[in-house]
Amino acid sequence: MTTQGSGDTFRQLAAIAFFLAPLGTAIAPQITTIFLPLLVVVLILAAMWHGPHWKDSISNSAALSACLALVLYTFVNATWSWDPLLGLAKACLLLGLILAVVVVSAAIGALNERQTRDFRAAFAFGAACAILYLVVEIATDRAITRGVYNAFPALRPEDTKRIKLAGNVVYSIELNTLNQGVAIVMLNLWPALLMTSGRGGSTRIYAIALIVLGTAGVVFASEHSSSQLALLGSVLVFAVALKWNRLVIRMLAAVWCLAFVLVLPASFLAHDAGLQSNPSMPFSFKARVVLWNQAAEKTLEHPWLGIGVNSMREISEATREALTPSQKEELRKRKRHGDATISRMPAHHGHSLFLQTWYELGGIGAALLALAGALVILRAETLPRDVQPYAAAAFTTFAVIAAFAWGMWQAWWLCAIGLLALYLCLGRQRSVCPADPVR
């Protein structure tokens, strides 16, 4: 039998984990792969403190069935990928992510009020500290990171193309190296606001202002355009959902499905319109137009089954390994001069969840992911009425960043999505408002 003292000690240690998660992952986004399983274990142990009945709330749903169908197909698809073993590993990661979210949702429902209050407060404080860290890094040309690299040279990345050295001293780091951390802060925004808005007193207004203004300042001072679009889009969705919550949620489900239908023709149209040559467009967008067009063309070679899980990255690495040193240097020169056609080289990923799904998983995978995503966002209708706008805004944030940014199989990115779902589940507990009755 556990004692009150041991329960308090565990709760305090768990709160520390919830504080460190948003802060640590903003500093080093790759450690989302550590913090997601850590918080899952913490929440399961916290739920077990109250007995075994928390598992009774784990139930099947149409969304879960659709997600598991997608995972099953991913396992099958991995068998014809460029590297089947790596493809199977990615399928296992996806399965683990889905099961973690299901278990966490049940575990959080079993927590007592004091646990949820402490965990929410710890997360919100950690998210605020993450914002402050990025503010300092942006304002000082990454002074904290430069100091760490100069004090501990072994921690420097092997690829130093974004680091400027004078001898063995790091004196500048490119701003875009913060893009992953900026995305983490953006993903934390709506869960942090959800948890903070449930607090009472005048501190609530100050906390909300700090999180909103700090996140906006970090995002727009950064070079991560996807997070900037995500911020604008999610704010709009949140504002509309405050009044028309069900309409917005259903529209998000429809737009999610429509994106899979339109991504191929849109990729062709953008290239045919010459956007890759438009001087007013930033290099990153022009390069994406070329990359998207090439990926769309390749998709038509295997339209139904795709080329296999994670094959884009494996093909890209094999192609680049075959280049001579002079060819690699020529590519670097062309990139420095803004030549977007270098994206004709096989890319590590599609810079679009929707397009990469078509390319690697084919039309079958695209249909399954479209269905799974739509059913997941429609589950937001079962949440308390005042939580639904936050869930809709969080889904918008994920979808917009995924539409333009990283590869869909990057482990840190998948775990960041899992943490977003975990935080939303925790924030859901702060509400006492019932869900709208199902019509």
Side-chain angles (χ1 to χ4, degrees):
M1 182 174 179
T2 59
T3 64
Q4 180 64 37
S6 61
D8 288 342
T9 300
F10 174 78
R11 178 173 48 78
Q12 292 163 2
L13 292 174
I16 291 173
F18 273 97
F19 164 75
L20 291 175
L23 175 59
T25 54
I27 296 172
Q30 301 298 328
I31 62 175
T32 56
T33 55
I34 297 174
F35 273 105
L36 177 60
L38 173 63
L39 293 186
V40 170
V41 171
V42 164
L43 289 168
I44 291 175
L45 291 176
M48 291 173 62
W49 218 270
H50 306 290
H53 300 295
W54 67 274
K55 292 182 289 187
D56 296 340
S57 59
I58 298 177
S59 60
N60 195 7
S61 66
L64 177 58
S65 297
C67 289
L68 293 178
L70 171 65
V71 170
L72 177 60
Y73 173 72
T74 303
F75 273 101
V76 174
N77 177 275
T79 61
W80 60 77
S81 63
W82 184 272
D83 185 338
L85 287 179
L86 187 56
L88 290 171
K90 296 297 184 182
C92 288
L93 178 60
L94 180 60
L95 175 61
L97 175 67
I98 292 169
L99 295 180
V101 173
V102 172
V103 171
V104 157
S105 180
I108 288 176
L111 302 182
N112 62 36
E113 182 179 353
R114 188 175 184 184
Q115 287 173 319
T116 54
R117 183 180 66 245
D118 289 353
F119 296 169
R120 291 194 305 266
F123 167 78
F125 185 45
C129 289
I131 294 170
L132 179 60
Y133 163 77
L134 286 177
V135 167
V136 172
E137 284 283 81
I138 291 173
T140 62
D141 187 19
R142 304 214 60 185
I144 298 174
T145 304
R146 283 189 287 111
V148 171
Y149 285 171
N150 287 326
F152 307 99
L155 295 178
R156 297 176 189 175
E158 293 182 6
D159 185 356
T160 59
K161 65 181 180 180
R162 293 186 174 89
I163 297 176
K164 296 180 181 179
L165 297 166
N168 195 39
V169 176
V170 177
Y171 70 90
S172 181
I173 303 175
E174 291 185 13
L175 184 59
N176 60 15
T177 56
L178 286 174
N179 283 357
Q180 292 182 352
V182 171
I184 292 291
V185 165
M186 189 60 227
L187 290 173
N188 290 342
L189 172 62
W190 296 106
L193 288 177
L194 174 59
M195 297 181 201
T196 307
S197 63
R199 296 169 61 89
S202 59
T203 57
R204 168 176 166 269
I205 302 232
Y206 294 121
I208 291 174
L210 170 64
I211 292 170
V212 171
L213 296 178
T215 300
V218 164
V219 168
F220 285 110
S222 76
E223 294 182 354
H224 196 228
S225 302
S226 298
S227 288
Q228 294 166 4
L229 290 173
L231 179 58
L232 294 173
S234 62
V235 167
L236 176 61
V237 164
F238 178 79
V240 177
L242 286 173
K243 182 172 180 62
W244 296 290
N245 57 306
R246 285 184 175 275
L247 174 63
V248 168
I249 289 171
R250 293 172 186 180
M251 286 295 294
L252 284 176
V255 170
W256 170 264
C257 293
L258 193 61
F260 285 97
V261 175
L262 297 180
V263 65
L264 290 177
S267 299
F268 291 128
L269 287 173
H271 190 270
D272 291 345
L275 296 184
Q276 72 279 9
S277 304
N278 191 324
S280 65
M281 297 291 180
F283 170 78
S284 60
F285 179 78
K286 292 190 289 185
R288 277 170 169 75
V289 170
V290 176
L291 183 155
W292 290 334
N293 180 72
Q294 183 192 35
E297 290 175 346
K298 293 290 185 181
T299 296
L300 298 182
E301 297 176 7
H302 306 276
W304 296 110
L305 299 177
I307 62 173
V309 175
N310 203 52
S311 290
M312 284 191 76
R313 184 177 187 88
E314 296 304 306
I315 292 172
S316 172
E317 291 185 351
T319 302
R320 292 173 191 273
E321 281 295 321
L323 296 176
T324 65
S326 60
Q327 289 173 323
K328 292 179 181 179
E329 180 59 29
E330 178 63 23
L331 284 176
R332 283 192 287 269
K333 287 181 180 179
R334 288 165 60 189
K335 182 174 182 179
R336 284 196 297 270
H337 288 85
D339 183 359
T341 61
I342 63 171
S343 294
R344 282 277 172 197
M345 287 291 297
H348 274 61
H349 53 80
H351 283 285
S352 170
L353 166 73
F354 306 102
L355 187 56
Q356 188 173 354
T357 301
W358 268 99
Y359 192 8
E360 293 187 343
L361 303 184
I364 295 175
L368 288 172
L369 183 53
L371 176 62
L375 291 176
V376 166
I377 185 56
L378 288 173
R379 287 278 294 173
E381 292 187 348
T382 67
L383 296 174
R385 169 66 178 83
D386 61 329
V387 175
Q388 293 178 25
Y390 295 91
F395 183 85
T396 302
T397 298
F398 147 69
V400 172
I401 294 177
F404 300 103
W406 294 285
M408 63 187 291
W409 301 114
Q410 288 180 268
W412 79 270
W413 173 240
L414 283 172
C415 290
I417 298 167
L419 285 171
L420 170 63
L422 184 155
Y423 298 148
L424 285 173
C425 290
L426 183 62
R428 173 193 64 191
Q429 297 300 107
R430 77 97 170 101
S431 176
V432 296
C433 300
D436 289 344
V438 177
R439 297 183 180 86

